[in-house]
Amino acid sequence: MSKRIPTGITREYLESVALPNHGGRYTPISHKSIIDKVHEELVTRGFNVESELYRASIAGNVANGIYILDQGTDPDMKMMFVWGNSYDKSMRFKCGVGVYIPKTGNYIFAGDVSSYARKHTGKADEEAIAMIQTQLNMANVHYAELLESRDILINQTASLHTYSQLVGQMFIEKQCLNKEQVSTVRDSLISKLVMFDNMEYNNAWNFYNCVATALRMSHPKNWFEDQSECHKLINKYFALTALTQMDCDMEFVQEPVQEEVQPTNQLDIFEVIADMTNPKLTSPTDVIVDDLSLLVQEEIQEEVVEHQEEFFNFGGEELQTFELPDL
């Protein structure tokens, strides 16, 4: 039996997801408290939210928040703030500053967000607030550095052989792209897809966006790390601008996360369907709709598979559909 789900969810939905009580030292941070604090800190700094997007696993236990800001000096690169949170011990809270690219609909953030990710123990709420503040304090600096990296890439080209090597490293060595994402990048390279006006297909910035398009299929749990690892490889080859390190008074302990669920960075079985209605909901048991005007509105067919966790993808008609074997 299958059911239809749309591609995104609302703020109200995430705020309605019940906060579990795991007991012991593990203290989940509520999605609502994160959303409220992010909005508060953005307003304090004079950042206007142009649009916001939330994506999550089916039950809402793993979630990402993305805020496109009316901030920055380049209309082709909008500043954004992103966060990730989980209720099921599968991911530490993490956040960072990046850019949204209106032309391609892609999201890029280059910081090593794992360095600022804290396990949900003890004073988790206080530390999450400190992380949000620390990242936003460096927002303008990081935005400028990402613009510099974009300009470096625009002025460089590489061969298909070089791009193949980079994608192979992403897939085999770093495992930040799965086989479906690699296939998406491969098809873009083979077809000489050009994502920007007046640009050659072998341009390095065009290649980066081919990779970023595929990364939109990453699971919410792995999206931060996948983005970061791909950026590091591209940075190493093209010598991009390194982000300024942030000063922080607290020590972020890197402890192994005890995972009760094992979502991977692979999608489950999806079949894209078009021209469907988009009902809106305010409860986790209802159908969810993403009304973000920047994204393509579509619904996807979800086939329920035992022992696999589904999630709401960014959407986009350019992304191919595929099937995966049972995990």
Side-chain angles (χ1 to χ4, degrees), residues 167 170-171 177-187 214:
V167 174
M170 294 172 187
F171 176 52
L177 292 180
N178 62 33
K179 63 181 182 180
E180 287 71 33
Q181 292 169 314
V182 167
S183 179
T184 296
V185 179
R186 177 203 63 197
D187 291 347

Side-chain angles (χ1 to χ4, degrees), residues 1-3 58 267-270 302-310 324-327:
M1 181 178 179
S2 62
K3 59 182 180 181
I58 287 294
L267 298 171
D268 291 309
I269 302 173
F270 288 98
E302 172 209 2
E303 185 171 333
V304 180
V305 182
E306 188 177 4
H307 304 308
Q308 292 184 332
E309 182 181 7
E310 310 291 351
L324 295 176
D326 293 334
L327 298 179

